[in-house]
Amino acid sequence: MSGHGDPVPMISHKAQALQGVANVPGDKSISHRSLILGAMAVGETRVSGLLEGQDVLDTAKAMRAFGAEVTRHGDGEWSIHGVGVGGFAEPDQVIDCGNSGTGVRLIMGAMATCPISVTFTGDASLNGRPMARVTDPLALFGAVSVGRAGGRLPMTVVGAASPVPVRYVVPVPSAQVKSAVLLAGLNAPGQTVVIEKEATRDHTERMLAGFGAEISTEVTDEGRVITLTGQPELKPLTIVVPRDPSSAAFPVCAALIVPGSDVLVPNIGLNPTRAGLFTTLREMGADLTYENLREEGGEPVADLRAKFSPDMKGIAVPPDRAASMIDEYPILSVVAANAQGPTEMRGVKELRVKESDRIDAMAVGLRANGIAVEDGPDWWIVHGRGPGSVPGGATCASHLDHRIAMSFLCLGMAAEQSVSVDDGGPIATSFPIFETLMSDLGARIVRVAG
Ligand code: S3P
């Protein structure tokens, strides 16, 4: 089983006003998909702005193991010579997806309709996460999987030699599940139909269309009905990866809570299936503006400007917005702690099965830092104390979860006492330049001896 090395304890002291420009890395979701679809196309796909975080590097390594030629040419500049739909070779080693649920679930989908056997593993966090949500629909194509109890990794998936197309209603709001089924449907004859009741991020659908697949989405009473025609020849693409709104969330939210801050975060993808946090922050009274709103590569993009916002108030976040900000609840809870009154977050059961149980991880850490939090199976309420009045002073467990680590470090920037995390190592999975970027803005994050 993979690990991620020794813990890297970090402390975040009260920051000076955060000022300047924050150039966050490329979008993680789009980066994984660029590599996987590039590996399934015939010819050379070129990618710029690829996120070079560990999660994506693990997916690049996996694509090489399946026979694609994946080359790094320079900072974020990559090319992939694909093997074509159905052309994956059987890897001769276990595929280690590290910390990445997106990586393993999408790759399982992509190989499930190829006649090969693949064994997957990951780190302690990934090996604790449920995989049945993906292997159940993949079984409908004819794939067979055997894992540990509870559908956990390590797991071997035997791809279907004669796959059949599938009609599948996704039972949980999950872009990973939807994408796994679509990627499997690529090598099944006929039409694969995926229905989602709630809209989740649609990067797979957009990118499949870009690679030349026949795919359509219809909004019906049943939900979003996505129809994909199998066995296309995917044509290589030139992809410019937009910057990640989920990473932008950290400098944006830190600027909102640190007095005197004014931070510009350029070129952020604002795909409506991803931008729920920014809408929520504005409803709370955040001074957050979209500058230079434009369209790039079929995705809406803007420069975000965030300024210290002392008048933010807690709100009830609409549950139907959850999918569009699912990765942002941890950092939202940090803003909520610095707003006036309660922020209610409901319909968020999925937070319990992310890289960690994110409701529990944040609730425990916020309480230790003097913030009242109530929580139930699919909801939590953070009782804000107002700007600058978070006591702080505690050490929080990051549970191998990059977003938990970054959220608590942001909490420390505006708290009365410094806030520590037991392990900031996982930050490298999605935002390897987080410490430098935040320090350049004025944060005071220090690594401490373990
Ligand atoms: C992702 C989907 C989401 C999200 C994850 C990235 C994707 O997971 O939390 O960080 O790229 O498809 P779920 O599909 O489990 O909601």
Side-chain angles (χ1 to χ4, degrees):
M1 187 180 79
S2 73
H4 81 103
D6 292 334
V8 184
M10 293 182 186
I11 185 162
S12 177
H13 302 293
K14 194 188 255 301
Q16 310 150 20
L18 302 176
Q19 308 233 309
V21 178
N23 284 314
V24 304
D27 190 281
K28 181 154 71 72
S29 294
I30 296 177
S31 295
H32 281 295
R33 287 160 173 80
S34 302
L35 292 168
I36 296 169
L37 283 172
M40 298 175 90
V42 176
E44 188 189 67
T45 289
R46 301 285 306 202
V47 187
S48 56
L50 189 91
L51 165 64
E52 294 178 338
Q54 193 54 47
D55 278 9
V56 176
L57 297 178
D58 286 336
T59 290
K61 193 168 165 213
M63 291 304 104
R64 287 192 189 108
F66 284 103
E69 209 177 287
V70 182
T71 313
R72 180 178 191 269
H73 300 277
D75 249 5
E77 299 290 328
W78 290 64
S79 66
I80 307 110
H81 269 278
V83 294
V85 168
F88 277 177
E90 186 169 274
D92 53 13
Q93 297 288 336
V94 169
I95 298 297
D96 187 341
C97 290
N99 191 250
S100 181
T102 308
V104 75
R105 291 183 176 132
L106 268 55
I107 297 169
M108 279 182 177
M111 60 69 54
T113 47
C114 299
I116 55 174
S117 296
V118 183
T119 301
F120 294 93
T121 193
D123 69 6
S125 155
L126 187 59
N127 286 1
R129 296 179 68 185
M131 293 297 142
R133 53 178 55 204
V134 171
T135 53
D136 285 352
L138 296 183
L140 304 175
F141 288 95
V144 174
S145 53
V146 184
R148 289 189 305 134
R152 261 68 179 179
L153 302 181
M155 176 178 284
T156 297
V157 181
V158 182
S162 309
V164 291
V166 155
R167 181 183 169 86
Y168 190 68
V169 182
V170 185
V172 284
S174 167
Q176 293 174 359
V177 175
K178 169 179 68 176
S179 301
V181 177
L182 288 172
L183 293 174
L186 274 178
N187 197 36
Q191 292 192 321
T192 286
V193 179
V194 188
I195 299 155
E196 58 176 4
K197 291 175 212 137
E198 294 169 48
T200 64
R201 66 192 67 194
D202 61 358
H203 306 301
T204 304
E205 297 94 299
R206 287 177 191 245
M207 208 179 271
L208 276 168
F211 273 94
E214 208 180 305
I215 181 165
S216 62
T217 302
E218 210 188 330
V219 181
T220 70
D221 291 348
E222 239 188 321
R224 279 161 46 90
V225 180
I226 305 154
T227 306
L228 171 73
T229 303
Q231 301 185 324
E233 180 172 310
L234 297 183
K235 313 244 175 325
L237 203 61
T238 298
I239 299 170
V240 181
V241 180
R243 292 185 178 157
D244 199 325
S246 299
S247 296
F250 296 98
V252 162
C253 289
L256 299 179
I257 61 174
V258 174
S261 297
D262 182 350
V263 170
L264 185 71
V265 192
N267 295 333
I268 299 305
L270 288 179
N271 179 317
T273 61
R274 295 289 298 282
L277 171 75
F278 304 128
T279 307
T280 301
L281 293 171
R282 282 161 39 137
E283 285 175 7
M284 293 172 78
D287 186 348
L288 170 63
T289 47
Y290 299 161
E291 298 181 357
N292 198 11
L293 194 54
R294 59 205 181 270
E295 187 150 314
E296 274 176 21
E299 300 264 359
V301 170
D303 306 333
L304 305 184
R305 183 174 289 280
K307 295 185 185 167
F308 175 55
S309 303
D311 299 323
M312 288 187 290
K313 303 210 165 28
I315 62 165
V317 182
D320 63 5
R321 194 179 289 160
S324 69
M325 51 180 288
I326 195 66
D327 289 336
E328 282 67 75
Y329 283 93
I331 188 63
L332 174 64
S333 71
V334 169
V335 174
N338 285 276
Q340 288 291 354
T343 291
E344 294 186 21
M345 296 165 278
R346 297 187 185 275
V348 290
K349 193 165 154 214
E350 281 295 299
L351 292 181
R352 298 228 177 250
V353 290
K354 294 293 176 187
E355 284 83 332
S356 66
D357 175 340
R358 286 183 170 162
I359 296 179
D360 192 60
M362 288 308 300
V364 169
L366 285 170
R367 286 180 195 126
N369 283 287
I371 298 296
V373 182
E374 299 168 73
D375 74 296
D378 67 345
W379 60 271
W380 49 321
I381 300 172
V382 173
H383 293 274
R385 294 172 60 110
S389 37
V390 173
T395 298
C396 308
S398 60
H399 299 281
L400 288 181
D401 188 331
H402 51 137
R403 299 199 201 284
I404 299 299
M406 290 187 279
S407 296
F408 284 124
L409 292 171
C410 289
L411 184 74
M413 293 173 202
E416 286 162 11
Q417 306 287 324
S418 309
V419 174
S420 302
V421 293
D422 64 343
D423 185 10
I427 293 171
T429 61
S430 71
F431 200 160
I433 58 168
F434 175 80
E435 282 168 87
T436 346
L437 180 145
M438 294 305 304
S439 303
D440 287 349
L441 296 176
R444 294 191 300 137
I445 300 172
V446 181
R447 291 185 180 212
V448 287

